[in-house]
Amino acid sequence: MVHNLKRPEVLAPAGTLEKLKTAILYGADAVYIGGNAYSLRTRAGNFTYEEMAEGLAFARSHNAKVYVAANMVTHEGNEKGAGEFFRKLRDIGIDAVIVSDPALIEIAITQAPGLAVHLSTQASATNWETLEFWKNEGLERVVLAREVSLEEIKAIRAKTDIEIEAFIHGAMCISYSGRCTLSNHMSLRDANRGGCSQSCRWKYELYDMPFGEERRPLKGKVAEEFSMSAVDMAMIEHIPELIEAGVNSFKIEGRMKSIHYVSTVSNVYKAAVDSYMEDPEHYVLKQEWVDELWKVAQRELATGFYFDTPTENEQLFGPRRKIPVYKFIGEVMAYNEDTKIATIRQRNHFSVGDEIEFYGPGFHHFEQTVEEMVNEDGESIMRAPNPMMILQMPVKEVVHVGDMIRKKK
């Protein structure tokens, strides 16, 4: 029986202006970006104010929203200038800021009135009393800790009406709510101020260390070097449960991921959410959605903490499933309906004879063999060697500007 038919927002990462536009074109209802300060992804292509304004104008033209992550832990002095920063975001028209540090939350509320504030997952909100506290402080939404189970979400929703945002796809941090100091100790880069070097994903040797004896390396005696890293999350098989639990926003991780990833994952979750909302009683999980997510997977996929505490099977060591690797090779810039010729901007190498796949918003997919290519000078070429070169090629089905092309490695 259907208990909650409120459509959840599909919220995609946007590390650059190009990714912002791609995510929205491929179905995202909202995107989250980083500014040039207070973000936890200093190596992402963080936005200038001018880029924010451009991205916001694009989002508005597609009825989408833009949030800015300002989720760092502020050490003494880091908060300077935050009031001006938040006021600027408000005046640009940003829909909300995502914050974890209480000082920054207070500054945003008091010095930039009118700017909506969302609580970051870094704040580890795991119970309804915590959500009510932040609601009373003036926040509109809480991004739950990734350690919260589905049953706990149901219990939380029964006690509070503040908006709930939950991660449904992407990388999982090995530490609680991303609050880790491994990077600080091992590479002098502060993970909680945007400099994480992902020490958990490094490979480590194992040693036998009998008491009173020298350590003995186990290299060659174990399947592979040890990592303390988790597999990625994918909740595509549980969309109805998440909607019924009352989650308002489905968050996809990955501000540093490629436009191949952003377009594919946004496309999948948009399709799944739309399908459920159109006919909840007859909703069926489509295998093509699952298959599509594996085309951009970097690790194996699991459900995180939603149904149980993860076991060793959700960690990255031991024998693993072989993941099919697809390479993003180009995007459609134009299409001539009369000649059935597409103009392509190349992103990675491919050649005549390669099997490639076109895909676009709304799950328009088809595969074909590259039969011929012509460069900008009209010369026939066998291989597209230079990234960002413009070329033309015949296509067997109609394509549209913004459609992507990939090739299985």
Side-chain angles (χ1 to χ4, degrees):
M1 185 176 184
V2 176
H3 302 293
N4 190 325
L5 275 181
K6 186 172 182 181
R7 187 188 190 282
E9 166 189 87
V10 175
L11 175 58
T16 64
L17 189 56
E18 180 186 36
K19 293 174 188 176
L20 179 152
K21 294 178 179 179
T22 298
I24 291 171
L25 286 174
Y26 277 77
D29 302 296
V31 295
Y32 61 102
I33 66 176
N36 285 328
Y38 313 109
S39 170
L40 280 186
R41 288 292 181 268
T42 56
R43 289 176 291 153
N46 293 318
F47 285 58
T48 65
Y49 293 131
E50 292 74 20
E51 288 172 329
M52 287 185 189
E54 182 180 342
L56 189 62
F58 183 87
R60 290 287 183 269
S61 69
H62 292 79
N63 298 314
K65 295 181 178 181
V66 177
Y67 309 134
V68 173
N71 50 348
M72 73 180 294
V73 174
T74 53
H75 287 231
E76 193 61 44
N78 290 152
E79 79 287 352
K80 292 179 180 178
E84 181 181 356
F85 176 74
F86 290 133
R87 285 192 296 274
K88 185 68 174 178
L89 300 189
R90 178 198 62 190
D91 296 343
I92 289 173
I94 293 298
D95 293 286
V97 287
I98 306 167
V99 192
S100 64
D101 191 289
L104 289 182
I105 291 173
E106 185 71 12
I107 291 170
I109 291 173
T110 60
Q111 298 187 33
L115 176 63
V117 180
H118 297 172
L119 187 72
S120 169
T121 189
Q122 257 73 28
S124 304
T126 55
N127 61 77
W128 72 266
E129 291 95 338
T130 297
L131 272 67
E132 279 291 287
F133 170 85
W134 288 113
K135 175 185 171 183
N136 293 333
E137 289 296 304
L139 275 64
E140 294 185 358
R141 177 185 293 183
V142 168
V143 187
L144 294 178
R146 277 179 255 197
E147 295 76 22
V148 177
S149 71
L150 188 63
E151 287 303 313
E152 287 175 319
I153 292 177
K154 294 176 183 177
I156 289 170
R157 172 48 74 222
K159 296 281 190 175
T160 180
D161 61 357
I162 191 172
E163 288 188 4
I164 291 175
E165 182 175 308
F167 280 92
I168 52 98
H169 194 92
M172 292 285 288
C173 185
I174 201 67
S175 67
Y176 206 99
S177 294
R179 295 180 302 178
C180 179
T181 58
L182 273 180
S183 178
N184 301 56
H185 289 292
M186 302 180 76
S187 59
L188 300 180
R189 285 167 47 176
D190 192 337
N192 294 294
R193 286 192 283 176
C196 183
S197 60
Q198 298 193 347
S199 304
C200 63
R201 298 204 185 275
W202 299 355
K203 294 291 186 180
Y204 296 90
E205 289 189 12
L206 290 177
Y207 294 87
D208 182 15
M209 300 180 69
F211 183 75
E213 300 179 28
E214 289 193 17
R215 64 182 186 179
R216 296 192 295 264
L218 297 178
K219 197 173 186 67
K221 298 180 182 180
V222 293
E224 63 179 63
E225 293 175 314
F226 180 78
S227 164
M228 63 189 82
S229 186
V231 302
D232 289 353
M233 178 196 292
M235 287 294 287
I236 186 60
E237 298 183 12
H238 303 282
I239 295 302
E241 295 100 309
L242 289 166
I243 296 176
E244 290 297 320
V247 177
N248 301 100
S249 180
F250 288 178
K251 189 166 194 172
I252 299 164
E253 181 274 340
R255 271 195 287 150
M256 296 180 67
K257 300 283 181 66
S258 67
I259 62 171
H260 180 211
Y261 170 90
V262 170
S263 59
T264 300
V265 180
S266 299
N267 216 12
V268 167
Y269 284 101
K270 161 75 170 176
V273 169
D274 284 353
S275 179
Y276 177 80
M277 297 306 297
E278 287 169 8
D279 191 357
E281 297 295 335
H282 300 95
Y283 172 84
V284 176
L285 173 71
K286 295 183 179 180
Q287 186 59 41
E288 66 177 342
W289 298 338
V290 178
D291 294 343
E292 196 75 0
L293 291 179
W294 279 106
K295 292 177 182 178
V296 292
Q298 296 178 325
R299 307 173 188 96
E300 290 192 72
L301 302 174
T303 55
F305 290 85
Y306 275 107
F307 298 103
D308 206 348
T309 301
T311 69
E312 67 275 9
N313 295 322
E314 284 77 50
Q315 309 303 317
L316 286 176
F317 58 85
R320 312 307 301 177
R321 167 178 172 171
K322 185 173 178 59
I323 297 174
V325 178
Y326 284 76
K327 180 169 65 174
F328 171 47
I329 60 172
E331 59 192 309
V332 176
M333 307 298 294
Y335 173 68
N336 188 313
E337 292 186 11
D338 296 328
T339 63
K340 294 182 171 52
I341 297 292
T343 301
I344 307 297
R345 179 161 60 193
Q346 182 233 16
R347 292 299 189 104
N348 271 301
H349 304 312
F350 65 99
S351 306
V352 170
D354 285 348
E355 294 292 328
I356 63 174
E357 178 187 4
F358 285 83
Y359 71 96
F363 270 81
H364 173 230
H365 288 60
F366 68 92
E367 297 178 357
Q368 73 167 65
T369 302
V370 180
E371 297 177 348
E372 60 179 297
M373 293 186 290
V374 175
N375 64 19
E376 290 182 275
D377 297 323
E379 300 168 334
S380 179
I381 57 175
M382 294 297 293
R383 186 170 183 264
N386 303 316
M388 304 304 284
M389 76 178 294
I390 305 298
L391 55 92
Q392 292 186 325
M393 59 181 290
V395 291
K396 70 177 188 179
E397 293 187 24
V398 174
V399 294
H400 303 90
V401 175
D403 284 0
M404 306 281 184
I405 317 167
R406 59 187 164 211
K407 181 182 76 169
K408 188 174 181 179
K409 287 187 180 180

